[in-house]
Amino acid sequence: MTHTPGNGRAEQAARIAAKPWYRQLYVQVLVAIVIGIVLGWRWPDLATDMEPIGTTFITAMKMLIGPIVFLTIIGGIAGVADLKKVGRTGIKALTYFQVGTIVALLTGLVAINVFRLGDGVHADPSTLQTTGDASQYVEQGEHQHWWEFLTGIVPDSFFGPFVEGKILQVIFLAVVFGIAIKLVGRTGEPIIAAVGRLTEVVFKVLSFVMKAAPLGAFGAMSYAIGKFGLSTLTSLGSLILLFYVTSALFVVVVLGGVLALYVRLNIFQLFRYFKEEFWLILGTSTAEPALPGLMRKLQFMGAERPTVGLVVPTGYSFNLDGAAIYLSLATLYIAQATDTSLSLGQQLGLLAVMLLTSKGAAGVAGGGFIALTATLSTVGSVPAAGIMLIFGIDKFMSECRALVNFFGNAVATLFVAKWENGLDLERARAVLAGRAGEPSLTTEPDPEPEIKSESESGSGSGSESEVVLAKQRSAAVHPAEVTP
């Protein structure tokens, strides 16, 4: 039986298009979010009891993130012919992360200086008392040093990072093991094969967990609205609105500009492609559950597996554009609200400190507030107790932070992949245009992968290395969607 390259993808795309709208995962998550908002608004006491549903789903997702990152990075490094490319990719990614963070910090700084929403509040720092979770975050932030994210990379045990969910340490272990497996040659081949099989199993488990995504979004959103109330949104609505508008402009103008001018892709098509992850993040207020989907879909777009495996997990700790915007905007708002005058030089000094402290609390519960307190404590000119002015609305800003972080890492990975000549641009455009089906939640390879783009197929020739590379890309994902 003959099989024309691309027929499998066309058949899969047709099946997906024919699937009823109510069976689409993103539709189910969206409906769950709306129900959660209504429940939290009308029956807040009942809604707060839904918290275990949301936290259980997020915990289940976090359970898989460590193994997925570990196995993906090892498999990616083992599949690279030249280990120098791994180091080069890492350096390029970190360079992009730093530039992106600076631009994000400046964006928040400019927005709050233009609109100056804190003027007129005249809050007295001596009367601001930190209580509950806020006091705990302040205490952690005051003892947080900018260099701790560097010393904390090396774990004190092998299993500790997986148990504690410290992704940066998992990345460190994966890189070390991946390089070691590569260097031992044939001895490591059975391990590489086992890693591939284990990766497939973990992604199959992920497909099971993702079926509960609507329940997780419902539980998290119900609790958020029931606990904090819609009235909290209106009390500091102008600050929330400024943060959301600033973040949206950053994503569309800055990230969209980078994607269009350098990668030659459309940011709005990228939004549509990641619609499931968008609603999942909006419902759970964290980007972590969307990490596996981001890696899987970027590989399906044609980004090389080693690049995706290195850039995405590292970006979740070092490339937090949404957190950077929030940090600079919140810091200056507190300064304005407490009548703390800051010159341009002092604000730029704050930016330099935030560039470091923004990395220090990545992946930690209350990380935004810990980084904010660490910044204020380091500088000393803005009272740390001022975080109580915005503590009540932080929950409603976390969704936006997570969404900006997510799309920032998607663009960063595509940027670095293009920089490393590891992005099949024709494939990416076909996927974003909806002509190549949808990726599955497993790593099962295509029976007959398409190994040439349309522009190459006319020549009738191709090197063996190109064929192998194309097969490796196709083997990363299967272009079918598991029915939720």
Side-chain angles (χ1 to χ4, degrees):
M1 179 179 175
T2 59
H3 180 85
T4 305
N7 280 357
R9 291 193 176 96
E11 292 167 2
Q12 298 288 359
R15 284 205 302 269
I16 293 167
K19 188 165 63 172
W21 62 269
Y22 55 84
R23 297 183 64 186
Q24 299 281 356
L25 181 60
Y26 78 94
V27 173
Q28 295 175 356
V29 171
L30 175 58
V31 171
I33 290 173
V34 173
I35 295 174
I37 292 173
V38 173
L39 182 66
W41 171 43
R42 300 298 298 173
W43 300 280
D45 292 337
L46 177 61
T48 54
D49 292 336
M50 300 296 109
E51 181 187 15
I53 300 176
T55 55
T56 300
F57 171 74
I58 295 173
T59 301
M61 290 297 301
K62 288 183 176 180
M63 169 188 72
L64 296 172
I65 289 174
I68 287 173
V69 169
F70 184 75
L71 295 170
T72 304
I73 292 179
I74 287 180
I77 292 176
V80 176
D82 184 7
L83 283 177
K84 291 180 180 178
K85 183 177 181 180
V86 176
R88 192 170 62 243
T89 301
I91 292 172
K92 288 180 178 179
L94 290 174
T95 301
Y96 177 93
F97 294 163
Q98 288 301 96
V99 174
T101 301
I102 291 172
V103 174
L105 288 169
L106 285 171
T107 302
L109 214 63
V110 170
I112 195 63
N113 272 291
V114 170
F115 292 96
R116 302 193 64 84
L117 298 180
D119 289 349
V121 176
H122 304 302
D124 184 358
S126 62
T127 63
L128 296 173
Q129 299 295 323
T130 55
T131 58
D133 291 338
S135 61
Q136 181 183 356
Y137 297 151
V138 169
E139 185 178 351
Q140 284 184 260
E142 288 175 343
H143 294 88
Q144 184 88 36
H145 302 289
W146 65 266
W147 40 262
E148 285 185 7
F149 77 95
L150 292 175
T151 58
I153 290 176
V154 182
D156 54 10
S157 69
F158 178 82
F159 295 104
F162 297 92
V163 174
E164 298 170 12
K166 296 183 177 179
I167 298 301
L168 210 53
Q169 294 183 353
V170 172
I171 295 171
F172 174 81
L173 287 173
V175 170
V176 172
F177 272 77
I179 293 173
I181 293 171
K182 183 71 177 177
L183 291 177
V184 297
R186 288 189 176 182
T187 306
E189 289 179 1
I191 300 176
I192 296 173
V195 165
R197 293 186 177 96
L198 189 55
T199 303
E200 185 175 340
V201 172
V202 172
F203 270 93
K204 176 57 82 174
V205 176
L206 173 67
S207 70
F208 299 153
V209 176
M210 285 301 295
K211 292 180 180 180
L215 281 175
F218 163 74
M221 186 58 71
S222 297
Y223 172 76
I225 301 298
K227 175 73 174 178
F228 300 99
L230 291 175
S231 59
T232 310
L233 282 171
T234 57
S235 62
L236 286 172
S238 57
L239 183 59
I240 297 174
L241 180 62
L242 178 61
F243 177 58
Y244 271 73
V245 171
T246 303
S247 298
L249 288 174
F250 176 83
V251 172
V252 173
V253 177
V254 178
L255 296 182
V258 168
L259 197 65
L261 296 176
Y262 184 75
V263 189
R264 302 294 181 183
L265 295 176
N266 189 300
I267 190 73
F268 296 103
Q269 288 183 328
L270 200 70
F271 294 158
R272 182 177 60 189
Y273 182 55
F274 287 111
K275 59 182 178 293
E276 289 183 358
E277 287 71 23
F278 175 92
W279 292 113
L280 182 62
I281 293 170
L282 190 66
T284 59
S285 300
T286 175
E288 288 185 340
L291 185 148
L294 176 60
M295 297 175 69
R296 178 170 42 86
K297 287 189 173 182
L298 287 172
Q299 290 179 46
F300 187 74
M301 281 181 66
E304 287 185 344
R305 185 179 179 183
T307 303
V308 173
L310 281 172
V311 178
V312 173
T314 309
Y316 262 61
S317 293
F318 287 94
N319 187 41
L320 306 175
D321 294 334
I325 295 172
Y326 166 81
L327 197 57
S328 58
L329 192 149
T331 301
L332 265 294
Y333 175 82
I334 292 171
Q336 293 169 5
T338 55
D339 297 321
T340 304
S341 179
L342 295 175
S343 65
L344 178 60
Q346 288 175 312
Q347 291 187 31
L348 293 178
L350 269 173
L351 188 146
V353 173
M354 287 186 283
L355 190 61
L356 298 172
T357 55
S358 62
K359 319 293 184 185
V364 180
F369 261 83
I370 293 173
L372 178 57
T373 308
T375 302
L376 301 182
S377 300
T378 300
V379 176
S381 55
V382 183
I387 70 167
M388 290 305 296
L389 296 171
I390 58 173
F391 183 70
I393 62 170
D394 181 71
K395 183 66 184 68
F396 298 104
M397 300 171 86
S398 60
E399 289 93 347
C400 188
R401 284 200 303 263
L403 285 169
V404 178
N405 292 343
F406 176 85
F407 284 107
N409 283 308
V411 173
T413 306
L414 293 171
F415 183 95
V416 175
K418 174 74 182 301
W419 195 357
E420 275 288 289
N421 297 317
L423 177 65
D424 186 340
L425 198 54
E426 254 187 74
R427 167 75 180 161
R429 287 170 178 161
V431 169
L432 292 183
R435 299 195 304 268
E438 294 282 344
S440 72
L441 291 175
T442 69
T443 54
E444 181 184 349
D446 278 337
E448 288 198 35
E450 185 179 3
I451 59 176
K452 288 184 181 181
S453 62
E454 293 179 4
S455 61
E456 293 171 326
S457 60
S459 63
S461 63
S463 67
E464 184 179 350
S465 62
E466 289 173 338
V467 174
V468 171
L469 177 60
K471 285 184 176 180
Q472 286 177 345
R473 286 178 183 164
S474 296
V477 287
H478 187 275
E481 186 179 64
V482 176
T483 301

